Every structure is written in structure tokens, then in C-alpha cells.
Amino acid sequence: MVNPIDRLSSFSYAVKKYYGFDKDELKGMAVAIVIIAFIVSFDEWGVDKFDLMYGLRNFFNAILIVLLSFIVYQTAQRFTAIKSGFKAEWRIWIYGLLIGLVLAFVSRGKLWFLAPGGVIVYHMAGHRICSFRYGLNYWPLGLSAIMGPLACAMLAIIFKILGAALPANILILKAMKINIWLAIVNLLPIPPLDGSNMFFASRMFYIFTFALVVGTMISLIFFNVLISLLIGLVAGFILWQVLYWTLEK
Amino acid sequence: MAGALLDTGKMRMGKMNKKGFEFLDKWVELFFFILLVIGFIVSINIGSAFFSYIVIFLFGLMAGRFLQLRKNIFPFYLIVLGLLIGYLLGSRYGNWKIVVFVFIIGAAVSWYVHEKEYIR
């Protein structure tokens, strides 16, 4: 017979019990996916003139890509939160989505402000035996929040590698671009975006991660993965040092 | 001596408080101006009347949510009015009456949806 304490501390048990999405989350995610898909397919509703079928096909493709990105994003956050003894939930940010829509109309789909929402976590004291269990603290919250954008960045790198193997596939390049924007925008330190949680947890770690992700993601458009990672690391290191010597020391 | 120090402290506190109160007194004008500029910049960059009406409708939705969450507080109405005025000033395409009408429709829809708690 399995010891109930062992069962309680097992990661797979916690995932099975706490990974699920509630009704509000699913509703919010559906709205966010549709709006983000609309933003990223804004300038793809016809080549010379408006074409409904062409646009709908691109819109559907965008929905699939955004759905995949959302699943990866949420999974990374939830797994990290569960591992730290928290239950993560995602909440929609209506102003962020509306700002994204406005910017899409103003820039004719050139500027993608993909800020769908942010994570909130609940403390589960029973799952934090042998560690601090007297309430929420910033670091695990920041860590679980930042895993979402980092997972998107990883997905963008995977799509870049796939794009190198299949250079004629436009859909892969689009998927890479969407994940790049998702990773960068969600790392901004604007509450309730996920970057803000890490910003409040540790400014030094935040600035390093932000520069690493932004540097890697922007150079991913022009260079291969290794060079991009190197540029990201150098950017992260420089900004980290600049912050330390100017403000934090 | 102690009295003099206390006076100096009071004066310093008074100065600090005065600065703080100045900002607190003028925050409505500040946000009014910021939103006026944002509305102007957004509308001047829009290239067609159709897009102009869609964007002002989206602004209306935002305003409806914003005002519904802060019911009966006059300064917030003034701030939203700043956005609308800025938008109208920068609007190059479309009729200004339709812009105002679409904005009110958007705000009313958003207000109603939030009032009935279809969206939280």
C-alpha cells in the first residue's frame, strides 16, 4: 500500500490534482486566443483586396499557433508553481487585449502587443512541508510567472530550428514570430503581466532574464540559434552589470 | 532650541506635504492631459474612417469598464473626456458626431456588460 504522505508529495499526483483549468480561466483563454489570433493575422486578409476565405484560413492557422503557445506557456507556469507548492491560475487582462487591438488597427497589424493576462498563485501549505509554508513569497511567484515567457522563448528557438530544416514553410516562421512577441511583451514589468512578478522578486535576476530573452529573440530573426543565444547572454550580462554598478551596489 | 528644531521640522514637513498635495490636487489635470495626448497620437496615425470608428469603439469599451469600476467619481469622467477630446482633435477621417456616438455606444455596452457581471 502506498504511504499517503508519499502520495501527497509526489509531483505526478500534484499535477493530476492541480493542473486543471477552471471555467473562468477557459473562458478568458478562449477570448484571449481569438483576439491574439486576430491581431497576428490582421494584415493577412487578402493580398491586394479583401479576401474573406483567405483571411479566415490565416485566422484559423493563427488560432492553432496561439493555442499551442498558450498550452506551452501555461504548462511551464503550472509545473513550476506545483513544484514549489503553489496552485497557479491564469487571469485575462482585458485592457491589455484592447490596447493590443487598438495598436493593431493603428499600425495596420505591424505592431503586436500580445498581453493576454497574467498568473496568480494560491498557497498550498500541505504541499510545502519542510519549506517555508506561512504564506506566499515573491521568489516562487516570480519564478513560476517567468517560466511562461521563457517557455515561449524556447518554443521560438524550436521553431527557428524547424524553420532551418523546412525553409519554405511560412507557418513555422509565423509561429516563431508569435512566440518571440509573446515572450518579449509578457516579460515587460507592467502588472499584471508575468514579468512584473519577477521584477518585484529580484530586479537583478529580472534585468538579466529580460535582456537575455530580448537579445536572443531579436537576433533570432537575423542569425542562427547559437549566435542568438550568445548575443542574448552578452546583453544579459552587460545590463545586469550596469544595473549592479549604477543602482544596486 | 528644541522649539526651533521642531519648527524647522514642521517647515520641512510642510514643504514636503505641500509638494505632495500639489500633485494630489492636480492628478486629474495630469491624467487628462496624458490621455488627451495619447488619443491625439492614436487618431492622427489612423488612415481611414472605418478604422477610426473601430478604434474609438474599442476606446469606448475600455472607458466603460474603467468608469464602471469607479462609479460616481467625477474626476474619472473628466479623464475619459480628455481621451475623447484628444481623439477628436487628431481625427482626420470620418465625422466627429459619429465618432462621439460610437464612443458612447462602446462605453454603454461595456458598462452594461460589467454591470450585469458578464465580464469581471
Side-chain angles (χ1 to χ4, degrees), chain A residues 24 27 42 92 94-95 98-99 101-108, chain B residues 42 45-48 51 54-55 58-59 61-62 65-66 119-120:
Chain A
D24 275 353
K27 216 161 63 178
F42 189 86
I92 189 170
I94 292 171
Y95 289 127
L98 287 174
I99 291 168
L101 274 176
V102 167
L103 287 178
F105 278 104
V106 172
S107 67
R108 303 258 168 151
Chain B
V42 167
N45 281 299
I46 295 174
S48 76
F51 277 8
I54 289 178
V55 169
L58 293 171
F59 274 144
L61 292 180
M62 274 193 233
R65 178 181 167 84
F66 182 72
I119 297 177
R120 272 177 285 167

PDB file of all heavy atoms in Angstrom, chain A residues 24 27 42 92 94-95 98-99 101-108, chain B residues 42 45-48 51 54-55 58-59 61-62 65-66 119-120:
ATOM      1  N   ASP A  24     -13.733  29.965 -15.526  1.00  0.00           N
ATOM      2  CA  ASP A  24     -13.356  31.357 -15.822  1.00  0.00           C
ATOM      3  C   ASP A  24     -12.070  31.420 -16.639  1.00  0.00           C
ATOM      4  O   ASP A  24     -11.945  32.229 -17.565  1.00  0.00           O
ATOM      5  CB  ASP A  24     -13.151  32.138 -14.514  1.00  0.00           C
ATOM      6  CG  ASP A  24     -14.468  32.686 -13.996  1.00  0.00           C
ATOM      7  OD1 ASP A  24     -15.465  32.559 -14.718  1.00  0.00           O
ATOM      8  OD2 ASP A  24     -14.481  33.225 -12.875  1.00  0.00           O
ATOM      9  N   LYS A  27     -12.762  30.344 -20.227  1.00  0.00           N
ATOM     10  CA  LYS A  27     -13.487  31.406 -20.937  1.00  0.00           C
ATOM     11  C   LYS A  27     -12.509  32.531 -21.319  1.00  0.00           C
ATOM     12  O   LYS A  27     -12.484  32.978 -22.469  1.00  0.00           O
ATOM     13  CB  LYS A  27     -14.581  31.952 -20.017  1.00  0.00           C
ATOM     14  CG  LYS A  27     -15.851  32.341 -20.740  1.00  0.00           C
ATOM     15  CD  LYS A  27     -17.035  32.442 -19.820  1.00  0.00           C
ATOM     16  CE  LYS A  27     -16.907  33.518 -18.776  1.00  0.00           C
ATOM     17  NZ  LYS A  27     -18.090  33.646 -17.919  1.00  0.00           N
ATOM     18  N   PHE A  42      -3.842  40.134 -38.675  1.00  0.00           N
ATOM     19  CA  PHE A  42      -4.537  41.364 -39.077  1.00  0.00           C
ATOM     20  C   PHE A  42      -4.275  41.750 -40.532  1.00  0.00           C
ATOM     21  O   PHE A  42      -5.192  42.130 -41.253  1.00  0.00           O
ATOM     22  CB  PHE A  42      -4.108  42.511 -38.151  1.00  0.00           C
ATOM     23  CG  PHE A  42      -4.904  43.764 -38.336  1.00  0.00           C
ATOM     24  CD1 PHE A  42      -6.099  43.954 -37.659  1.00  0.00           C
ATOM     25  CD2 PHE A  42      -4.482  44.756 -39.205  1.00  0.00           C
ATOM     26  CE1 PHE A  42      -6.843  45.102 -37.837  1.00  0.00           C
ATOM     27  CE2 PHE A  42      -5.227  45.910 -39.380  1.00  0.00           C
ATOM     28  CZ  PHE A  42      -6.409  46.077 -38.694  1.00  0.00           C
ATOM     29  N   ILE A  92      -7.307  36.738 -17.301  1.00  0.00           N
ATOM     30  CA  ILE A  92      -7.278  37.580 -18.503  1.00  0.00           C
ATOM     31  C   ILE A  92      -7.073  39.051 -18.112  1.00  0.00           C
ATOM     32  O   ILE A  92      -7.516  39.479 -17.045  1.00  0.00           O
ATOM     33  CB  ILE A  92      -8.591  37.388 -19.299  1.00  0.00           C
ATOM     34  CG1 ILE A  92      -8.529  38.061 -20.659  1.00  0.00           C
ATOM     35  CG2 ILE A  92      -9.780  37.886 -18.524  1.00  0.00           C
ATOM     36  CD1 ILE A  92      -9.700  37.693 -21.570  1.00  0.00           C
ATOM     37  N   ILE A  94      -8.128  42.430 -19.693  1.00  0.00           N
ATOM     38  CA  ILE A  94      -8.962  42.974 -20.770  1.00  0.00           C
ATOM     39  C   ILE A  94      -8.353  44.242 -21.363  1.00  0.00           C
ATOM     40  O   ILE A  94      -8.329  44.417 -22.588  1.00  0.00           O
ATOM     41  CB  ILE A  94     -10.400  43.212 -20.248  1.00  0.00           C
ATOM     42  CG1 ILE A  94     -11.029  41.842 -19.971  1.00  0.00           C
ATOM     43  CG2 ILE A  94     -11.248  43.966 -21.266  1.00  0.00           C
ATOM     44  CD1 ILE A  94     -12.331  41.881 -19.280  1.00  0.00           C
ATOM     45  N   TYR A  95      -7.811  45.118 -20.498  1.00  0.00           N
ATOM     46  CA  TYR A  95      -7.193  46.341 -21.017  1.00  0.00           C
ATOM     47  C   TYR A  95      -6.029  46.007 -21.964  1.00  0.00           C
ATOM     48  O   TYR A  95      -5.851  46.649 -22.993  1.00  0.00           O
ATOM     49  CB  TYR A  95      -6.674  47.215 -19.873  1.00  0.00           C
ATOM     50  CG  TYR A  95      -7.759  47.869 -19.056  1.00  0.00           C
ATOM     51  CD1 TYR A  95      -7.797  47.743 -17.673  1.00  0.00           C
ATOM     52  CD2 TYR A  95      -8.748  48.628 -19.659  1.00  0.00           C
ATOM     53  CE1 TYR A  95      -8.785  48.343 -16.920  1.00  0.00           C
ATOM     54  CE2 TYR A  95      -9.746  49.236 -18.915  1.00  0.00           C
ATOM     55  CZ  TYR A  95      -9.759  49.088 -17.547  1.00  0.00           C
ATOM     56  OH  TYR A  95     -10.739  49.688 -16.808  1.00  0.00           O
ATOM     57  N   LEU A  98      -7.374  44.944 -25.285  1.00  0.00           N
ATOM     58  CA  LEU A  98      -7.949  46.075 -26.019  1.00  0.00           C
ATOM     59  C   LEU A  98      -6.833  47.001 -26.541  1.00  0.00           C
ATOM     60  O   LEU A  98      -6.911  47.487 -27.672  1.00  0.00           O
ATOM     61  CB  LEU A  98      -8.917  46.860 -25.122  1.00  0.00           C
ATOM     62  CG  LEU A  98     -10.258  46.156 -24.841  1.00  0.00           C
ATOM     63  CD1 LEU A  98     -11.078  46.934 -23.833  1.00  0.00           C
ATOM     64  CD2 LEU A  98     -11.069  45.977 -26.110  1.00  0.00           C
ATOM     65  N   ILE A  99      -5.799  47.204 -25.727  1.00  0.00           N
ATOM     66  CA  ILE A  99      -4.660  48.015 -26.189  1.00  0.00           C
ATOM     67  C   ILE A  99      -4.005  47.336 -27.401  1.00  0.00           C
ATOM     68  O   ILE A  99      -3.651  47.983 -28.383  1.00  0.00           O
ATOM     69  CB  ILE A  99      -3.631  48.220 -25.046  1.00  0.00           C
ATOM     70  CG1 ILE A  99      -4.224  49.137 -23.973  1.00  0.00           C
ATOM     71  CG2 ILE A  99      -2.335  48.833 -25.560  1.00  0.00           C
ATOM     72  CD1 ILE A  99      -3.431  49.169 -22.680  1.00  0.00           C
ATOM     73  N   LEU A 101      -5.471  45.417 -29.577  1.00  0.00           N
ATOM     74  CA  LEU A 101      -6.354  45.611 -30.739  1.00  0.00           C
ATOM     75  C   LEU A 101      -6.194  47.018 -31.315  1.00  0.00           C
ATOM     76  O   LEU A 101      -6.093  47.190 -32.533  1.00  0.00           O
ATOM     77  CB  LEU A 101      -7.810  45.392 -30.322  1.00  0.00           C
ATOM     78  CG  LEU A 101      -8.330  43.957 -30.345  1.00  0.00           C
ATOM     79  CD1 LEU A 101      -9.743  43.905 -29.817  1.00  0.00           C
ATOM     80  CD2 LEU A 101      -8.284  43.390 -31.754  1.00  0.00           C
ATOM     81  N   VAL A 102      -6.173  48.009 -30.410  1.00  0.00           N
ATOM     82  CA  VAL A 102      -6.030  49.403 -30.866  1.00  0.00           C
ATOM     83  C   VAL A 102      -4.710  49.564 -31.630  1.00  0.00           C
ATOM     84  O   VAL A 102      -4.672  50.128 -32.728  1.00  0.00           O
ATOM     85  CB  VAL A 102      -6.093  50.378 -29.661  1.00  0.00           C
ATOM     86  CG1 VAL A 102      -5.635  51.764 -30.060  1.00  0.00           C
ATOM     87  CG2 VAL A 102      -7.501  50.438 -29.108  1.00  0.00           C
ATOM     88  N   LEU A 103      -3.617  49.022 -31.065  1.00  0.00           N
ATOM     89  CA  LEU A 103      -2.309  49.157 -31.720  1.00  0.00           C
ATOM     90  C   LEU A 103      -2.288  48.417 -33.057  1.00  0.00           C
ATOM     91  O   LEU A 103      -1.640  48.865 -34.006  1.00  0.00           O
ATOM     92  CB  LEU A 103      -1.198  48.633 -30.800  1.00  0.00           C
ATOM     93  CG  LEU A 103      -0.877  49.531 -29.605  1.00  0.00           C
ATOM     94  CD1 LEU A 103       0.197  48.910 -28.741  1.00  0.00           C
ATOM     95  CD2 LEU A 103      -0.420  50.912 -30.069  1.00  0.00           C
ATOM     96  N   ALA A 104      -3.009  47.296 -33.141  1.00  0.00           N
ATOM     97  CA  ALA A 104      -3.077  46.565 -34.414  1.00  0.00           C
ATOM     98  C   ALA A 104      -3.772  47.412 -35.475  1.00  0.00           C
ATOM     99  O   ALA A 104      -3.327  47.476 -36.625  1.00  0.00           O
ATOM    100  CB  ALA A 104      -3.803  45.243 -34.222  1.00  0.00           C
ATOM    101  N   PHE A 105      -4.862  48.092 -35.096  1.00  0.00           N
ATOM    102  CA  PHE A 105      -5.583  48.935 -36.056  1.00  0.00           C
ATOM    103  C   PHE A 105      -4.748  50.154 -36.451  1.00  0.00           C
ATOM    104  O   PHE A 105      -4.720  50.547 -37.613  1.00  0.00           O
ATOM    105  CB  PHE A 105      -6.926  49.396 -35.477  1.00  0.00           C
ATOM    106  CG  PHE A 105      -8.010  48.368 -35.616  1.00  0.00           C
ATOM    107  CD1 PHE A 105      -8.430  47.613 -34.530  1.00  0.00           C
ATOM    108  CD2 PHE A 105      -8.608  48.147 -36.847  1.00  0.00           C
ATOM    109  CE1 PHE A 105      -9.418  46.658 -34.662  1.00  0.00           C
ATOM    110  CE2 PHE A 105      -9.608  47.182 -36.988  1.00  0.00           C
ATOM    111  CZ  PHE A 105     -10.017  46.444 -35.895  1.00  0.00           C
ATOM    112  N   VAL A 106      -4.079  50.745 -35.449  1.00  0.00           N
ATOM    113  CA  VAL A 106      -3.290  51.950 -35.721  1.00  0.00           C
ATOM    114  C   VAL A 106      -2.087  51.633 -36.613  1.00  0.00           C
ATOM    115  O   VAL A 106      -1.778  52.366 -37.552  1.00  0.00           O
ATOM    116  CB  VAL A 106      -2.834  52.606 -34.396  1.00  0.00           C
ATOM    117  CG1 VAL A 106      -1.858  53.728 -34.648  1.00  0.00           C
ATOM    118  CG2 VAL A 106      -4.044  53.141 -33.647  1.00  0.00           C
ATOM    119  N   SER A 107      -1.406  50.506 -36.316  1.00  0.00           N
ATOM    120  CA  SER A 107      -0.188  50.177 -37.068  1.00  0.00           C
ATOM    121  C   SER A 107      -0.478  49.249 -38.248  1.00  0.00           C
ATOM    122  O   SER A 107       0.463  48.751 -38.869  1.00  0.00           O
ATOM    123  CB  SER A 107       0.832  49.516 -36.133  1.00  0.00           C
ATOM    124  OG  SER A 107       0.345  48.252 -35.719  1.00  0.00           O
ATOM    125  N   ARG A 108      -1.758  49.002 -38.532  1.00  0.00           N
ATOM    126  CA  ARG A 108      -2.164  48.085 -39.616  1.00  0.00           C
ATOM    127  C   ARG A 108      -1.541  46.697 -39.447  1.00  0.00           C
ATOM    128  O   ARG A 108      -1.032  46.109 -40.388  1.00  0.00           O
ATOM    129  CB  ARG A 108      -1.770  48.662 -40.971  1.00  0.00           C
ATOM    130  CG  ARG A 108      -2.331  50.034 -41.247  1.00  0.00           C
ATOM    131  CD  ARG A 108      -3.491  49.921 -42.161  1.00  0.00           C
ATOM    132  NE  ARG A 108      -4.231  51.150 -42.246  1.00  0.00           N
ATOM    133  CZ  ARG A 108      -4.910  51.527 -43.311  1.00  0.00           C
ATOM    134  NH1 ARG A 108      -4.898  50.789 -44.371  1.00  0.00           N
ATOM    135  NH2 ARG A 108      -5.612  52.615 -43.308  1.00  0.00           N
TER     136      ARG A 108
ATOM    137  N   VAL B  42      -2.893  58.506 -31.289  1.00  0.00           N
ATOM    138  CA  VAL B  42      -3.525  57.312 -31.885  1.00  0.00           C
ATOM    139  C   VAL B  42      -4.362  57.721 -33.089  1.00  0.00           C
ATOM    140  O   VAL B  42      -4.241  57.138 -34.173  1.00  0.00           O
ATOM    141  CB  VAL B  42      -4.384  56.577 -30.822  1.00  0.00           C
ATOM    142  CG1 VAL B  42      -5.283  55.547 -31.477  1.00  0.00           C
ATOM    143  CG2 VAL B  42      -3.484  55.888 -29.797  1.00  0.00           C
ATOM    144  N   ASN B  45      -2.670  58.781 -36.378  1.00  0.00           N
ATOM    145  CA  ASN B  45      -1.995  57.709 -37.113  1.00  0.00           C
ATOM    146  C   ASN B  45      -2.954  56.784 -37.852  1.00  0.00           C
ATOM    147  O   ASN B  45      -2.515  55.854 -38.516  1.00  0.00           O
ATOM    148  CB  ASN B  45      -1.130  56.885 -36.151  1.00  0.00           C
ATOM    149  CG  ASN B  45       0.165  57.593 -35.845  1.00  0.00           C
ATOM    150  OD1 ASN B  45       0.957  57.858 -36.737  1.00  0.00           O
ATOM    151  ND2 ASN B  45       0.365  57.939 -34.598  1.00  0.00           N
ATOM    152  N   ILE B  46      -4.243  56.999 -37.687  1.00  0.00           N
ATOM    153  CA  ILE B  46      -5.213  56.120 -38.335  1.00  0.00           C
ATOM    154  C   ILE B  46      -5.498  56.631 -39.747  1.00  0.00           C
ATOM    155  O   ILE B  46      -5.707  57.829 -39.951  1.00  0.00           O
ATOM    156  CB  ILE B  46      -6.502  56.030 -37.498  1.00  0.00           C
ATOM    157  CG1 ILE B  46      -6.174  55.342 -36.172  1.00  0.00           C
ATOM    158  CG2 ILE B  46      -7.576  55.244 -38.231  1.00  0.00           C
ATOM    159  CD1 ILE B  46      -7.302  55.309 -35.212  1.00  0.00           C
ATOM    160  N   GLY B  47      -5.499  55.685 -40.700  1.00  0.00           N
ATOM    161  CA  GLY B  47      -5.565  56.097 -42.109  1.00  0.00           C
ATOM    162  C   GLY B  47      -6.930  56.031 -42.761  1.00  0.00           C
ATOM    163  O   GLY B  47      -7.049  56.331 -43.947  1.00  0.00           O
ATOM    164  N   SER B  48      -7.983  55.632 -42.039  1.00  0.00           N
ATOM    165  CA  SER B  48      -9.303  55.583 -42.692  1.00  0.00           C
ATOM    166  C   SER B  48     -10.413  55.794 -41.667  1.00  0.00           C
ATOM    167  O   SER B  48     -10.206  55.573 -40.461  1.00  0.00           O
ATOM    168  CB  SER B  48      -9.502  54.236 -43.387  1.00  0.00           C
ATOM    169  OG  SER B  48      -9.777  53.239 -42.450  1.00  0.00           O
ATOM    170  N   PHE B  51     -11.500  52.462 -39.752  1.00  0.00           N
ATOM    171  CA  PHE B  51     -10.600  52.100 -38.647  1.00  0.00           C
ATOM    172  C   PHE B  51     -10.756  53.081 -37.481  1.00  0.00           C
ATOM    173  O   PHE B  51     -10.646  52.708 -36.321  1.00  0.00           O
ATOM    174  CB  PHE B  51      -9.146  52.082 -39.116  1.00  0.00           C
ATOM    175  CG  PHE B  51      -8.755  50.798 -39.797  1.00  0.00           C
ATOM    176  CD1 PHE B  51      -9.704  49.828 -40.095  1.00  0.00           C
ATOM    177  CD2 PHE B  51      -7.434  50.552 -40.147  1.00  0.00           C
ATOM    178  CE1 PHE B  51      -9.355  48.653 -40.722  1.00  0.00           C
ATOM    179  CE2 PHE B  51      -7.065  49.375 -40.769  1.00  0.00           C
ATOM    180  CZ  PHE B  51      -8.028  48.421 -41.067  1.00  0.00           C
ATOM    181  N   ILE B  54     -13.695  52.016 -35.509  1.00  0.00           N
ATOM    182  CA  ILE B  54     -13.421  50.784 -34.744  1.00  0.00           C
ATOM    183  C   ILE B  54     -12.561  51.096 -33.517  1.00  0.00           C
ATOM    184  O   ILE B  54     -12.842  50.629 -32.408  1.00  0.00           O
ATOM    185  CB  ILE B  54     -12.743  49.724 -35.636  1.00  0.00           C
ATOM    186  CG1 ILE B  54     -13.766  49.188 -36.634  1.00  0.00           C
ATOM    187  CG2 ILE B  54     -12.173  48.578 -34.814  1.00  0.00           C
ATOM    188  CD1 ILE B  54     -13.229  48.191 -37.598  1.00  0.00           C
ATOM    189  N   VAL B  55     -11.532  51.910 -33.724  1.00  0.00           N
ATOM    190  CA  VAL B  55     -10.625  52.222 -32.603  1.00  0.00           C
ATOM    191  C   VAL B  55     -11.359  53.008 -31.521  1.00  0.00           C
ATOM    192  O   VAL B  55     -11.192  52.727 -30.331  1.00  0.00           O
ATOM    193  CB  VAL B  55      -9.372  52.976 -33.118  1.00  0.00           C
ATOM    194  CG1 VAL B  55      -8.560  53.531 -31.961  1.00  0.00           C
ATOM    195  CG2 VAL B  55      -8.505  52.043 -33.931  1.00  0.00           C
ATOM    196  N   LEU B  58     -13.351  50.661 -29.516  1.00  0.00           N
ATOM    197  CA  LEU B  58     -12.508  49.937 -28.549  1.00  0.00           C
ATOM    198  C   LEU B  58     -12.171  50.832 -27.345  1.00  0.00           C
ATOM    199  O   LEU B  58     -12.196  50.375 -26.199  1.00  0.00           O
ATOM    200  CB  LEU B  58     -11.220  49.449 -29.217  1.00  0.00           C
ATOM    201  CG  LEU B  58     -11.389  48.371 -30.284  1.00  0.00           C
ATOM    202  CD1 LEU B  58     -10.084  48.138 -31.029  1.00  0.00           C
ATOM    203  CD2 LEU B  58     -11.871  47.068 -29.665  1.00  0.00           C
ATOM    204  N   PHE B  59     -11.890  52.101 -27.633  1.00  0.00           N
ATOM    205  CA  PHE B  59     -11.645  53.046 -26.534  1.00  0.00           C
ATOM    206  C   PHE B  59     -12.900  53.187 -25.663  1.00  0.00           C
ATOM    207  O   PHE B  59     -12.813  53.316 -24.444  1.00  0.00           O
ATOM    208  CB  PHE B  59     -11.223  54.413 -27.068  1.00  0.00           C
ATOM    209  CG  PHE B  59      -9.746  54.533 -27.340  1.00  0.00           C
ATOM    210  CD1 PHE B  59      -9.269  55.265 -28.411  1.00  0.00           C
ATOM    211  CD2 PHE B  59      -8.816  53.922 -26.515  1.00  0.00           C
ATOM    212  CE1 PHE B  59      -7.910  55.391 -28.658  1.00  0.00           C
ATOM    213  CE2 PHE B  59      -7.454  54.032 -26.758  1.00  0.00           C
ATOM    214  CZ  PHE B  59      -7.006  54.770 -27.835  1.00  0.00           C
ATOM    215  N   LEU B  61     -15.123  50.857 -25.163  1.00  0.00           N
ATOM    216  CA  LEU B  61     -15.188  49.640 -24.328  1.00  0.00           C
ATOM    217  C   LEU B  61     -14.284  49.778 -23.104  1.00  0.00           C
ATOM    218  O   LEU B  61     -14.671  49.429 -21.986  1.00  0.00           O
ATOM    219  CB  LEU B  61     -14.766  48.415 -25.147  1.00  0.00           C
ATOM    220  CG  LEU B  61     -15.684  47.957 -26.277  1.00  0.00           C
ATOM    221  CD1 LEU B  61     -15.088  46.740 -26.970  1.00  0.00           C
ATOM    222  CD2 LEU B  61     -17.072  47.601 -25.756  1.00  0.00           C
ATOM    223  N   MET B  62     -13.069  50.291 -23.352  1.00  0.00           N
ATOM    224  CA  MET B  62     -12.128  50.483 -22.232  1.00  0.00           C
ATOM    225  C   MET B  62     -12.702  51.481 -21.222  1.00  0.00           C
ATOM    226  O   MET B  62     -12.638  51.258 -20.017  1.00  0.00           O
ATOM    227  CB  MET B  62     -10.799  51.028 -22.762  1.00  0.00           C
ATOM    228  CG  MET B  62      -9.845  49.982 -23.221  1.00  0.00           C
ATOM    229  SD  MET B  62      -8.236  50.739 -23.457  1.00  0.00           S
ATOM    230  CE  MET B  62      -7.877  50.249 -25.101  1.00  0.00           C
ATOM    231  N   ARG B  65     -15.532  50.082 -19.031  1.00  0.00           N
ATOM    232  CA  ARG B  65     -15.017  49.225 -17.949  1.00  0.00           C
ATOM    233  C   ARG B  65     -14.385  50.092 -16.852  1.00  0.00           C
ATOM    234  O   ARG B  65     -14.633  49.901 -15.666  1.00  0.00           O
ATOM    235  CB  ARG B  65     -13.981  48.249 -18.522  1.00  0.00           C
ATOM    236  CG  ARG B  65     -13.342  47.342 -17.489  1.00  0.00           C
ATOM    237  CD  ARG B  65     -12.329  46.437 -18.131  1.00  0.00           C
ATOM    238  NE  ARG B  65     -11.502  45.772 -17.152  1.00  0.00           N
ATOM    239  CZ  ARG B  65     -11.818  44.660 -16.510  1.00  0.00           C
ATOM    240  NH1 ARG B  65     -12.958  44.080 -16.741  1.00  0.00           N
ATOM    241  NH2 ARG B  65     -11.008  44.121 -15.633  1.00  0.00           N
ATOM    242  N   PHE B  66     -13.578  51.052 -17.295  1.00  0.00           N
ATOM    243  CA  PHE B  66     -12.869  51.936 -16.372  1.00  0.00           C
ATOM    244  C   PHE B  66     -13.853  52.695 -15.477  1.00  0.00           C
ATOM    245  O   PHE B  66     -13.672  52.766 -14.258  1.00  0.00           O
ATOM    246  CB  PHE B  66     -12.027  52.900 -17.216  1.00  0.00           C
ATOM    247  CG  PHE B  66     -11.188  53.857 -16.433  1.00  0.00           C
ATOM    248  CD1 PHE B  66     -10.063  53.430 -15.752  1.00  0.00           C
ATOM    249  CD2 PHE B  66     -11.507  55.204 -16.396  1.00  0.00           C
ATOM    250  CE1 PHE B  66      -9.288  54.310 -15.044  1.00  0.00           C
ATOM    251  CE2 PHE B  66     -10.739  56.091 -15.693  1.00  0.00           C
ATOM    252  CZ  PHE B  66      -9.622  55.649 -15.010  1.00  0.00           C
ATOM    253  N   ILE B 119     -18.833  40.088 -17.692  1.00  0.00           N
ATOM    254  CA  ILE B 119     -17.367  40.178 -17.651  1.00  0.00           C
ATOM    255  C   ILE B 119     -17.000  40.738 -16.288  1.00  0.00           C
ATOM    256  O   ILE B 119     -17.651  41.667 -15.809  1.00  0.00           O
ATOM    257  CB  ILE B 119     -16.827  41.106 -18.751  1.00  0.00           C
ATOM    258  CG1 ILE B 119     -17.152  40.548 -20.138  1.00  0.00           C
ATOM    259  CG2 ILE B 119     -15.309  41.283 -18.621  1.00  0.00           C
ATOM    260  CD1 ILE B 119     -16.727  41.446 -21.268  1.00  0.00           C
ATOM    261  N   ARG B 120     -15.944  40.160 -15.696  1.00  0.00           N
ATOM    262  CA  ARG B 120     -15.496  40.684 -14.392  1.00  0.00           C
ATOM    263  C   ARG B 120     -14.084  41.229 -14.510  1.00  0.00           C
ATOM    264  O   ARG B 120     -13.317  40.794 -15.318  1.00  0.00           O
ATOM    265  CB  ARG B 120     -15.539  39.574 -13.360  1.00  0.00           C
ATOM    266  CG  ARG B 120     -16.898  39.492 -12.702  1.00  0.00           C
ATOM    267  CD  ARG B 120     -16.968  38.357 -11.728  1.00  0.00           C
ATOM    268  NE  ARG B 120     -17.069  37.093 -12.433  1.00  0.00           N
ATOM    269  CZ  ARG B 120     -16.904  35.902 -11.866  1.00  0.00           C
ATOM    270  NH1 ARG B 120     -16.591  35.827 -10.616  1.00  0.00           N
ATOM    271  NH2 ARG B 120     -17.017  34.788 -12.554  1.00  0.00           N
TER     272      ARG B 120
END
